[in-house]
Amino acid sequence: MAELFKYVCKSCGANLDPTSDEKVIKCSFCGSVYDRTAVLDEHRRREAEALTKKVKKYKADLVAYNGLKADTLRLADEVTRLSDTPTQMPLWTMLTIPAQLAGCALLLVMMYAAYKADSKPMMFLVGLLFAVLMVALTVADVKKKRLQRETEDVKGQLRSRLDELNTARAVFEDFERGFDIDFIASPYREYAAIDYLIGLLGTYQASKLGEAYRLFDLHEHFTKMEKMQNEQVEVQKQQLEVMQQLADYDFDDTYDDDDFTLHETLKAFRESHNSE
């Protein structure tokens, strides 16, 4: 809601009525006389100063708003990534203990058979198989524990990010409820545009947002026109350079380095001109 300013007499504090078309405003209470233009200019200055403060606060709130929104989206992306990370242990990890028991039982049977047969080669083979089995089971157990740690780490990160996301979302929603983002029209919510609006209001070139929007649009229009003019000047410079090269070129029947340079220059100019 726009702040209301009263036109008051500086002598007695009574309200003044600036709506008349007279060049002067006369206080109906004490009779003091004021220049109508000066009174309206003062009112405009006060409006511009008050609006400048509001726009500056809006920019600060917009920076905070965008920061909270970015944090919320970042945490949501992390939660999605962690949720998509597999956390279920592979099937083989559940078979390590039965495999250990079965392997040990099989080796015991083989050792007993070798002992009964009194066969040294068979005893050596059983010992070798036992060593290989122990190494394989040790490696599998180490890998299983590493997978368990990684799985628990992912689950812990997911729980932590979910808590952070819920907190960030609550803070963002609470801030959003108290932030009137529509105070500045959407085409002017870029930081550079807001800074330009603040400059217009701070120098009293505008006292209302509508005026500031109109002046900003004019500034953008003239900026684009100036850019287009500069581009046209550059094209004309290139044209003059090519024409000068053609004027200075010594035409003869031989194809030398000068011919190649001129050919490449013309080719590059045509390509740049056609791309525009």
Side-chain angles (χ1 to χ4, degrees):
M1 181 177 179
E3 186 176 352
L4 298 177
F5 295 99
K6 294 181 179 181
Y7 301 87
V8 296
C9 177
K10 295 182 179 179
S11 298
C12 63
N15 293 334
L16 300 177
D17 182 15
T19 57
S20 65
D21 295 332
E22 300 292 333
K23 293 184 177 180
V24 295
I25 300 174
K26 185 175 182 179
C27 177
S28 59
F29 188 80
C30 69
S32 298
V33 178
Y34 299 93
D35 181 71
R36 183 173 181 272
T37 302
V39 172
L40 293 177
D41 287 345
E42 175 66 15
H43 178 71
R44 176 183 174 86
R45 184 186 66 79
R46 292 170 61 191
E47 278 189 322
E49 289 175 352
L51 192 54
T52 301
K53 293 179 181 178
K54 290 182 179 180
V55 176
K56 286 182 177 180
K57 184 179 183 304
Y58 177 88
K59 181 187 176 182
D61 290 343
L62 183 63
V63 171
Y65 173 86
N66 289 335
L68 292 172
K69 185 177 181 180
D71 288 341
T72 303
L73 293 175
R74 176 183 58 79
L75 290 170
D77 290 340
E78 289 189 21
V79 168
T80 301
R81 178 181 59 81
L82 292 171
S83 298
D84 294 337
T85 303
T87 55
Q88 187 175 1
M89 295 293 290
L91 180 62
W92 66 266
T93 58
M94 294 181 287
L95 301 177
T96 53
I97 295 179
Q100 290 175 351
L101 296 175
C104 291
L106 179 62
L107 286 174
L108 287 173
V109 171
M110 293 177 66
M111 289 178 64
Y112 179 76
Y115 174 76
K116 293 292 289 184
D118 194 18
S119 172
K120 291 183 178 180
M122 189 174 180
M123 291 286 290
F124 175 78
L125 179 61
V126 171
L128 181 62
L129 289 175
F130 179 77
V132 171
L133 178 62
M134 289 299 101
V135 171
L137 292 176
T138 301
V139 171
D141 188 60
V142 170
K143 189 174 182 180
K144 175 183 176 181
K145 291 180 179 178
R146 181 175 59 81
L147 288 174
Q148 287 176 336
R149 288 195 302 270
E150 292 176 354
T151 300
E152 290 301 319
D153 183 57
V154 170
K155 290 180 178 179
Q157 289 184 37
L158 180 58
R159 288 191 295 268
S160 175
R161 292 297 181 273
L162 276 173
D163 292 339
E164 292 179 14
L165 175 60
N166 291 332
T167 301
R169 186 172 291 164
V171 172
F172 174 69
E173 291 175 352
D174 182 65
F175 186 88
E176 188 177 28
R177 282 191 292 269
F179 176 48
D180 183 16
I181 194 171
D182 294 325
F183 175 69
I184 298 293
S186 58
Y188 309 96
R189 289 177 192 163
E190 295 292 334
Y191 296 145
I194 295 176
D195 287 336
Y196 194 84
L197 297 179
I198 292 173
L200 291 173
L201 296 167
T203 54
Y204 312 129
Q205 298 178 61
S207 61
K208 299 182 183 301
L209 282 177
E211 292 178 293
Y213 292 159
R214 180 179 59 81
L215 292 174
F216 176 79
D217 290 339
L218 285 174
H219 166 74
E220 288 292 288
H221 172 72
F222 288 129
T223 300
K224 290 179 181 178
M225 292 295 294
E226 184 179 3
K227 181 180 179 181
M228 291 175 61
Q229 290 175 353
N230 291 335
E231 291 175 352
Q232 291 176 353
V233 169
E234 288 299 321
V235 171
Q236 291 174 354
K237 286 182 179 179
Q238 293 179 8
Q239 291 175 339
L240 290 174
E241 290 175 0
V242 172
M243 291 174 65
Q244 186 64 41
Q245 290 183 11
L246 288 172
D248 298 340
Y249 180 67
D250 182 19
F251 291 93
D252 52 29
D253 296 332
T254 60
Y255 187 82
D256 51 20
D257 292 340
D258 291 336
D259 296 301
F260 178 78
T261 302
L262 179 62
H263 173 75
E264 291 299 315
T265 301
L266 291 172
K267 180 180 177 182
F269 175 75
R270 282 196 296 267
E271 289 177 352
S272 63
H273 188 69
N274 291 335
S275 64
E276 294 174 359

